[in-house]
Amino acid sequence: VQLVESGGGSVQAGGSLRLSCAAPRYTYVRWCMGWFRQAPGKEREGVAAVYGRGVRYYYADSVQGRFTVSRDATNNTVYLEMNALKPEDTAMYYCAADLVTGGDWRSVDLWSCWGQGTQVTVS
């Protein structure tokens, strides 16, 4: 599964960004989509995920209320809307996909397909 992220950039604290992840059409119905991030010197961590066609949504505590994950069937794209950004949100953000059937969505090992990443810098 080829995933293509876009939308990263530099923003001041308090600002907003929207990340996009384009995925193949066949992933929309059954595949789960996730967003992860990795800051320098830190492990990759789960940010948000959407299972199925919006059946379930998951968020890390650190982004709850500030970030929103969504998926659009018309263009097979998953979005991560990021508001009230903080310097600690600075990281490389990755889109992930898998036919997840169980386990902790925050586990990197649960996801088999990854995008190339897009950098988000908050100053």
Side-chain angles (χ1 to χ4, degrees), residues 3-10 17-22 34-39 44 47 78-80 82 89-96 114-122:
L3 305 173
V4 181
E5 300 113 329
S6 61
S10 297
L17 282 174
R18 188 177 76 161
L19 305 184
S20 301
C21 174
W35 285 97
F36 287 73
R37 66 186 181 187
Q38 188 167 19
R44 191 169 297 189
V47 176
V78 178
Y79 299 100
L80 183 67
M82 305 185 295
D89 294 318
T90 295
M92 184 72 78
Y93 282 70
Y94 297 90
C95 179
W114 295 86
Q116 81 286 355
T118 184
Q119 178 67 39
V120 172
T121 302
V122 185

Side-chain angles (χ1 to χ4, degrees), residues 6-121:
S6 61
S10 297
V11 65
Q12 292 187 338
S16 299
L17 282 174
R18 188 177 76 161
L19 305 184
S20 301
C21 174
R25 179 183 299 273
Y26 65 82
T27 62
Y28 183 74
V29 175
R30 295 181 58 220
W31 285 65
C32 304
M33 304 296 293
W35 285 97
F36 287 73
R37 66 186 181 187
Q38 188 167 19
K42 295 187 176 181
E43 294 186 352
R44 191 169 297 189
E45 63 174 358
V47 176
V50 52
Y51 278 26
R53 290 172 285 185
V55 176
R56 284 176 288 172
Y57 296 89
Y58 299 97
Y59 294 94
D61 290 343
S62 59
V63 306
Q64 182 74 47
R66 300 188 297 122
F67 290 12
T68 302
V69 61
S70 62
R71 64 194 308 178
D72 188 340
T74 60
N75 57 15
N76 305 305
T77 300
V78 178
Y79 299 100
L80 183 67
E81 187 76 35
M82 305 185 295
N83 299 312
L85 282 162
K86 305 174 181 180
E88 50 263 45
D89 294 318
T90 295
M92 184 72 78
Y93 282 70
Y94 297 90
C95 179
D98 201 276
L99 285 163
V100 179
T101 57
D104 187 344
W105 70 272
R106 295 164 295 183
S107 173
V108 173
D109 294 337
L110 206 63
W111 304 83
S112 60
C113 304
W114 295 86
Q116 81 286 355
T118 184
Q119 178 67 39
V120 172
T121 302

